[in-house]
Amino acid sequence: MTRLLVNIDHVATLRNARRETFPDPAEAAVLCENAGASGIVFHLRQDRRHINDADVAALAGAIKGKIDFELSLAPEIVDICCETRPQLATIVPERRDEITTEGGMDVTANRDRLDETIPKLYEAGVEEVALFVDPVPEFIRGAAEAGANCIELHTGKYANAESDDERAGILVAMAEAAELANSLGLSVHAGHGLDLSNYPAFGRSVPYLAEVSIGFAIIARALATGLPAAVAEMVETINRHPFD
Ligand code: PXP
């Protein structure tokens, strides 16, 4: 069964747009877990544009399930992640002028920094380290060599594909990437841009999918249904579309 982890950065984005104290990401995290999410994802960016340091502390206290702390390789953020000791740390590329994470990490170009950072995370007590990658075999092999024990497949290009042919081609690459990752002992996660309409084909096509990280679609849907119903609906969609 594929687990759903809900990304709650978008709750902080809304709060910060009004420079308010609400909505509260920690409160939202509890609602998500009570509605069936297996855990919560947040990304402490260097510019603190959504989640901030106080949120990290509040979330670490509030979340009962799995915490997925998304981070760049910036030393300051790596230190905060080590202090927080989430079960899972997902390393992502980060550019200050991007609206959201734009692509997977170039594992080859970042190998030296990864080789330095990944052992630090394990030494701090983080159990799982994932690298956010596009379905590129070189990067998946590099993730295993650098000591990661998970990958998160970047699904943004799948979500934004403009034709059925493009989508089908990406799904083949994703399935092959998941096979390769599994053969190297890496746990397979996926995320970015997944929603109620594009998840079914993804879930049916990609083997060994242990976890998905979904945020924007759930928080947006919550405006119509409420957050617990939006989470429950996504969990149900995931459960109805396993790999076949
Ligand atoms: N995974 C990673 C690495 C991300 O950066 C994001 C976006 O913050 C997500 C998953 C979730 O993407 P979305 O909010 O589009 O569901």
Side-chain angles (χ1 to χ4, degrees):
M1 204 77 103
T2 302
R3 297 181 290 276
L4 170 66
L5 273 65
V6 179
N7 180 313
I8 42 75
D9 295 344
H10 312 283
V11 175
T13 300
L14 182 59
R15 176 195 64 194
N16 297 355
R18 282 289 291 263
R19 301 198 180 134
E20 263 299 354
T21 55
F22 65 93
D24 176 11
E27 213 174 287
V30 171
L31 287 175
C32 291
E33 290 200 297
N34 290 343
S38 300
I40 301 297
V41 189
F42 54 82
H43 182 179
L44 184 69
R45 294 184 74 107
Q46 282 170 270
D47 62 10
R48 312 299 201 269
R49 69 174 67 164
H50 36 59
I51 295 298
N52 60 37
D53 302 51
D55 290 325
V56 171
L59 285 161
I63 297 166
K64 296 204 169 54
K66 188 168 184 174
I67 296 179
D68 177 4
F69 189 133
E70 280 183 17
L71 72 159
S72 67
L73 288 165
E76 177 216 7
I77 307 292
V78 173
D79 286 348
I80 296 171
C81 184
C82 286
E83 283 159 24
T84 307
R85 284 207 294 139
Q87 287 92 333
L88 167 64
T90 300
I91 302 176
V92 303
E94 191 175 301
R95 282 200 311 112
R96 276 176 196 271
D97 56 353
E98 67 191 357
I99 292 171
T100 179
T101 312
E102 285 173 343
M105 169 163 278
D106 183 337
V107 175
T108 310
N110 285 285
R111 243 332 262 288
D112 289 351
R113 292 173 75 198
L114 288 167
D115 287 351
E116 221 176 273
T117 304
I118 294 173
K120 272 191 202 163
L121 292 166
Y122 289 130
E123 276 159 31
V126 175
E127 291 157 27
E128 292 179 292
V129 177
L131 302 190
F132 185 56
V133 290
D134 286 296
V136 176
E138 178 187 329
F139 296 161
I140 293 164
R141 286 196 195 92
E145 285 164 18
N149 52 14
C150 316
I151 52 156
E152 181 179 330
L153 290 168
H154 170 230
T155 52
K157 290 188 187 113
Y158 165 72
N160 293 327
E162 283 174 4
S163 69
D164 289 347
D165 276 358
E166 189 189 349
R167 230 178 324 274
I170 295 174
L171 285 179
V172 170
M174 289 284 183
E176 288 172 1
E179 288 281 358
L180 174 62
N182 182 67
S183 75
L184 295 168
L186 300 171
S187 175
V188 179
H189 307 166
H192 210 284
L194 292 174
D195 63 21
L196 291 173
S197 64
N198 64 27
Y199 184 82
F202 188 80
R204 284 196 304 263
S205 306
V206 180
Y208 308 113
L209 193 55
E211 284 176 17
V212 285
S213 160
I214 305 181
F216 188 75
I218 290 173
I219 304 301
R221 178 85 176 134
L223 292 175
T225 64
L227 188 52
V231 171
E233 191 178 35
M234 197 68 231
V235 169
E236 195 191 305
T237 299
I238 291 167
N239 291 344
R240 267 195 287 117
H241 300 282
F243 177 65
D244 57 19

